[in-house]
Amino acid sequence: MKFRGKIIDVACLNHFTRVVTTISKLTKICVLRLTPDNLFFVLSGKVANGGVSMWCELSQANFFDEYQMEGVSSEDNEICLEVTPENLSRALKTVQNAKAVKLKLTKKHCPCLTIAAELPTLSSISRVVTHDVPVDVIPRRLWHEFKEPSMPDFDVSIYLPPLKTMKNVVDRMKNLSNFLVMEANLNGEMNLKIETDLVSVTTHFKDLGNPPWGDDASQDGGPSQSRDPEDMAQARVDIRKLQQFLMGQQVNPSKAMCNIVHERVVHLILLHEDVSLQYFIPAVA
Amino acid sequence: MDCVVTGGNVKVLAKAIHSLSRIGDELYVEPQDDGLALRSVNSSRSAYACFLFAPLFFSRYTIPSGHAFRCKMAIKSVQAVFRSLASLEKTVEKCHIGLDEKKNRLTFTLHCKHGLLKTHNLSFQDSESLQAVFDKDSYGNVFRSHPRLLVDTVVHFPPSLEEVTVSVSDERMWVRNHVEEEDRSKSMLTELCLASDEFDHFAVTTQNSVTFCLKELRGMLVFAESTGLPVSMYFDEPGSPLVLSVTDSVLEGNFVLATLSDDSNHRKNNSRREQTPPPPPNDDFMDDDMDSYLIAMDTSIAPGPSATRPPTPPLAVSTYSKQPAAANHRSRLIAEEQEEEEEEEAELADSAGPPNKKFCSLFFGSVLPPSSQTSTQPVTNQEVLASDSEDDEQ
């Protein structure tokens, strides 16, 4: 198993750091999958996370100037590592002005992802800083847990309002209730509702637009084609999970949308040019 | 006592006080003939700082005649006087420090613009003299650089990090975070390598490593960076203190930090380690050998700590382990205790007998006039004093 990548371009380094920082705000520990073409940050939905799962896909060519890897074997040409993204984020943040940053899989006191950067100095010899981030190698027999999630059979798909606005709303709602209902319809309308004994608050968003695949939402092209556009699909979720998702966002995505499976799951999708992030929040009763 | 600080020096004084507050909770004030000494020490006596402001730093400097006056006060109260540094610069024209011995108060009066006077009366307590015993000029390893270099170095370490290890060879200095044995497998290790020509002065007599607390270094950098004065670093063997100084014609600041010491019983480990300083980093960064980073792991089982792979070129990872009893390892330990600790902790397979480590305390002179303090003061005596009035020389 080998992995070695190098980032030289400052903008790429910056972007990569921001992606890793976003991931670090979403989860404490996640799995990093390395394939010849992509990097994936994966969190599988377990009870421990409250059922939340995440899938973030990066195309390596958009970030790395050099990228070489050899997986576990030639049929399974992949590397799966369990990592604490906050450590990676911290290491990357300190080397933003580096001439070059290398990421390598190494074995120091334990398997590590080593970030080595060459920093500019006034002297002839560069300053080299290395950060060894300990990782756990995930054995092949567990790889099935970290596969790309399939698109759920959603009832409604809608574009999200500006994330900052959503975040402001959700932040205030969090003070009032632990659970929030997200509902949306095929008419571009979305509501965020909370309800307690004393008060209920609803924020309405209109004219959001629905992604084109929303028209034949169901894979089998069945009953949902005749779905009443006014009909709301809703899911009640833990407000902290939604807030955590919104808090972590560092970059404005080119596209942000949400699929709701009625009373089952909220599936949030953020697309940037070279990164896609999917986040699943299960509904609670 | 009657001292006046004017203009930009007020900010320098304020920065010094803020810097001292990173060390300890109390400020020891001692007006001396050679200047005003402000000192602080931490509760475990493993870090000490002293700023000496020469009479020329002040526009007026009058000290109590006859008897030696010294006192201590809560440093937070003094910080409150110089609270907002940005506005200090713009509004304070001068600062007057006066002593009211009858009421046990030091009065700080800030003369600000538009005729505004801010008077702070701070109570003090009598105190013993506080002076650490150290002789930085006798230390073998001496470095001097612009504070920016050190600031740029510490930025790579998380603010919560406790201890760093500095290792030197003839041409290089490595700074890395120090991690306890037990935490080794899960902690992130960061290492930075500095070349000798980044320093204004770089003199190494013995190639060794010292480990000390980062927080106190940051405290010194707070002061150094704002004044832009070069910072000098002196150290010797592990166990003897590390000294950081900033000097100019009217002031001198010294931060004395305790370093982790080796058990004297394990000299041979120490010398063996000294002969293998960390390998110089590959200068041609572009082409290190990929094979040296080869990981061939059997992924059908989750790897444990016993994974038997040949290690890559080792970082100079410390092979020491801590004596469990020294959980409060930074407490005051006198040298006699070293001989009592004979136990070895054979936790690591790759070293013959890891020596025990603990911080040496700084050894404080009692109430002695400065001239009689020499570096040869034996380390086995001298407890740090409680304020025992019998010892005061009046």
Side-chain angles (χ1 to χ4, degrees):
Chain A
M1 253 199 311
K2 294 186 202 180
F3 167 62
R4 185 173 181 267
K6 186 150 84 174
I7 304 179
I8 298 184
D9 183 68
V10 161
C12 291
L13 178 59
N14 196 269
H15 195 21
F16 186 68
T17 306
R18 272 185 283 134
V19 172
V20 175
T21 305
T22 301
I23 303 286
S24 73
K25 300 222 161 94
L26 290 175
T27 174
K28 217 164 157 263
I29 297 191
C30 73
V31 168
L32 172 61
R33 272 183 65 188
L34 299 164
T35 67
D37 295 318
N38 294 304
L39 290 92
F40 304 94
F41 288 96
V42 186
L43 179 67
S44 73
K46 297 213 169 84
V47 175
N49 320 326
V52 163
S53 57
M54 171 195 73
W55 175 267
C56 178
E57 186 172 322
L58 293 89
S59 162
Q60 61 88 349
N62 287 329
F63 295 91
F64 291 86
D65 288 276
E66 280 173 37
Y67 185 95
Q68 289 159 292
M69 66 151 289
E70 261 178 44
V72 168
S73 69
S74 41
E75 308 93 52
D76 294 310
N77 195 16
E78 256 190 50
I79 300 176
C80 249
L81 305 168
E82 188 179 78
V83 70
T84 303
E86 203 210 320
N87 286 340
L88 281 178
S89 159
R90 219 182 327 125
L92 287 168
K93 279 199 258 203
T94 66
V95 297
Q96 289 300 296
N97 60 340
K99 292 193 223 167
V101 176
K102 282 197 211 176
L103 270 81
K104 299 184 266 232
L105 190 58
T106 59
K107 177 133 166 55
K108 302 271 168 84
H109 47 283
C110 67
C112 284
L113 206 51
T114 295
I115 296 171
E118 203 186 334
L119 300 169
T121 63
L122 295 171
S123 85
S124 50
I125 309 173
S126 302
R127 216 181 286 168
V128 175
V129 61
T130 51
H131 297 271
D132 294 315
V133 178
V135 297
D136 272 326
V137 178
I138 308 251
R140 228 178 313 189
R141 64 188 160 83
L142 296 177
W143 286 9
H144 62 275
E145 289 183 26
F146 307 106
K147 292 260 160 272
E148 175 161 12
S150 47
M151 183 76 86
D153 207 1
F154 52 80
D155 296 301
V156 167
S157 180
I158 189 168
Y159 286 116
L160 288 171
L163 294 182
K164 199 148 175 270
T165 312
M166 263 187 92
K167 177 178 170 318
N168 286 338
V169 169
V170 172
D171 280 347
R172 277 150 187 71
M173 287 183 165
K174 180 170 170 292
N175 294 330
L176 298 169
S177 166
N178 283 336
F179 298 100
L180 172 147
V181 171
M182 274 183 87
E183 62 177 22
N185 64 20
L186 288 171
N187 228 2
E189 289 169 348
M190 173 189 273
N191 300 330
L192 298 176
K193 303 197 293 201
I194 52 162
E195 200 169 305
T196 67
D197 292 336
L198 296 175
V199 66
S200 60
V201 182
T202 309
T203 302
H204 304 267
F205 296 93
K206 290 192 166 56
D207 297 326
L208 293 172
N210 302 83
W213 65 51
D215 291 338
D216 42 25
S218 174
Q219 259 74 350
D220 58 18
S224 55
Q225 277 185 333
S226 55
R227 189 187 170 87
D228 178 3
E230 296 292 327
D231 218 10
M232 288 279 182
Q234 69 170 47
R236 187 162 179 265
V237 296
D238 183 335
I239 206 173
R240 285 165 299 183
K241 305 268 179 316
L242 182 59
Q243 191 195 33
Q244 199 173 12
F245 173 78
L246 294 168
M247 259 191 343
Q249 298 315 312
Q250 304 229 303
V251 198
N252 272 330
S254 13
K255 282 205 167 73
M257 48 203 143
C258 165
N259 297 335
I260 302 183
V261 179
H262 187 68
E263 283 173 1
R264 283 298 194 77
V265 70
V266 171
H267 176 208
L268 298 153
I269 310 176
L270 301 183
L271 297 175
H272 306 254
E273 304 154 3
D274 35 25
V275 183
S276 74
L277 175 64
Q278 298 180 48
Y279 200 70
F280 296 81
I281 310 180
V284 295
Chain B
M1 176 172 154
D2 189 13
C3 306
V4 178
V5 182
T6 41
N9 283 354
V10 177
K11 188 173 174 207
V12 174
L13 180 65
K15 274 277 174 180
I17 291 169
H18 285 298
S19 193
L20 288 169
S21 72
R22 304 280 200 112
I23 300 284
D25 295 326
E26 287 177 322
L27 181 68
Y28 289 74
V29 179
E30 186 168 351
Q32 297 164 182
D33 286 329
D34 56 350
L36 179 68
L38 299 177
R39 301 186 178 97
S40 185
V41 70
N42 71 355
S43 52
S44 52
R45 297 292 198 250
S46 57
Y48 160 94
C50 171
F51 281 95
L52 184 67
F53 295 96
L56 283 174
F57 178 81
F58 302 86
S59 51
R60 181 160 78 234
Y61 185 72
T62 317
I63 59 171
S65 56
H67 59 276
F69 167 75
R70 51 180 172 270
C71 68
K72 66 179 180 186
M73 54 182 79
I75 207 168
K76 282 202 160 39
S77 332
V78 191
Q79 272 186 295
V81 176
F82 299 101
R83 192 185 298 282
S84 156
L85 288 168
S87 67
L88 260 183
E89 240 182 326
K90 295 189 199 116
T91 59
V92 177
E93 285 159 9
K94 64 182 186 191
C95 169
H96 176 266
I97 307 173
L99 170 64
D100 184 343
E101 269 186 289
K102 287 197 213 75
K103 292 192 195 162
N104 273 11
R105 285 204 306 218
L106 265 182
T107 303
F108 288 80
T109 310
L110 297 177
H111 296 248
C112 308
K113 270 201 227 170
H114 313 301
L116 196 66
L117 275 179
K118 292 190 207 173
T119 309
H120 299 255
N121 293 314
L122 304 177
S123 305
F124 60 74
Q125 296 169 275
D126 286 323
S127 81
E128 72 281 11
S129 178
L130 183 75
Q131 291 206 29
V133 177
F134 63 96
D135 180 10
K136 61 192 187 196
D137 296 317
S138 71
Y139 289 162
N141 297 335
V142 181
F143 313 93
R144 189 172 64 246
S145 74
H146 191 273
R148 195 96 278 273
L149 180 67
L150 295 175
V151 170
D152 286 345
T153 301
V154 303
V155 81
H156 290 95
F157 299 91
S160 58
L161 178 66
E162 284 272 307
E163 287 147 15
V164 286
T165 303
V166 171
S167 312
V168 289
S169 72
D170 288 329
E171 295 284 313
R172 302 277 157 87
M173 176 187 284
W174 288 266
V175 183
R176 60 181 186 280
N177 60 329
H178 175 80
V179 174
E180 293 306 319
E181 281 316 306
E182 313 83 62
D183 304 327
R184 186 58 61 77
S185 62
K186 282 299 152 200
S187 327
M188 188 163 134
L189 289 184
T190 300
E191 181 177 275
L192 179 65
C193 175
L194 300 168
S196 58
D197 56 359
E198 294 201 67
F199 291 82
D200 298 333
H201 179 79
F202 191 98
V204 173
T205 316
T206 349
Q207 301 188 12
N208 53 18
S209 303
V210 288
T211 301
F212 58 92
C213 186
L214 186 58
K215 172 174 160 232
E216 283 120 21
L217 170 60
R218 289 189 205 261
M220 140 68 78
L221 291 177
V222 159
F223 180 81
E225 210 195 353
S226 70
T227 55
L229 291 171
V231 176
S232 301
M233 177 159 49
Y234 305 79
F235 64 87
D236 216 32
E237 297 295 314
S240 74
L242 176 140
V243 180
L244 296 157
S245 309
V246 285
T247 322
D248 83 3
S249 51
V250 291
L251 68 86
E252 184 180 336
N254 284 308
F255 276 60
V256 184
L257 311 179
T259 61
L260 274 182
S261 74
D262 306 337
D263 193 300
S264 51
N265 291 338
H266 296 271
R267 272 292 164 243
K268 65 172 172 13
N269 264 359
N270 195 9
S271 54
R272 179 159 39 100
R273 199 172 50 81
E274 277 175 26
Q275 282 155 22
T276 56
N282 201 341
D283 279 344
D284 187 354
F285 188 68
M286 313 305 247
D287 357 285
D288 49 340
D289 182 6
M290 244 193 83
D291 285 340
S292 66
Y293 297 107
L294 177 68
I295 265 198
M297 304 201 64
D298 178 10
T299 59
S300 57
I301 46 165
S306 57
T308 52
R309 290 300 129 208
T312 56
L315 299 175
V317 166
S318 157
T319 58
Y320 302 126
S321 56
K322 276 259 164 68
Q323 183 81 321
N328 181 16
H329 61 262
R330 307 190 78 209
S331 60
R332 290 190 289 125
L333 298 171
I334 311 180
E336 285 136 10
E337 288 179 8
Q338 279 183 341
E339 287 132 31
E340 294 165 9
E341 285 155 17
E342 299 288 338
E343 303 152 35
E344 290 179 21
E345 294 185 35
E347 285 176 19
L348 300 174
D350 57 343
S351 93
N356 298 315
K357 263 197 160 176
K358 56 188 176 304
F359 274 109
C360 264
S361 71
L362 305 168
F363 301 103
F364 286 85
S366 61
V367 190
L368 297 170
S371 54
S372 69
Q373 284 170 4
T374 61
S375 60
T376 55
Q377 192 144 88
V379 296
T380 50
N381 58 7
Q382 306 276 357
E383 302 248 357
V384 180
L385 306 172
S387 31
D388 181 350
S389 56
E390 287 169 9
D391 284 343
D392 283 343
E393 287 179 1
Q394 291 290 332

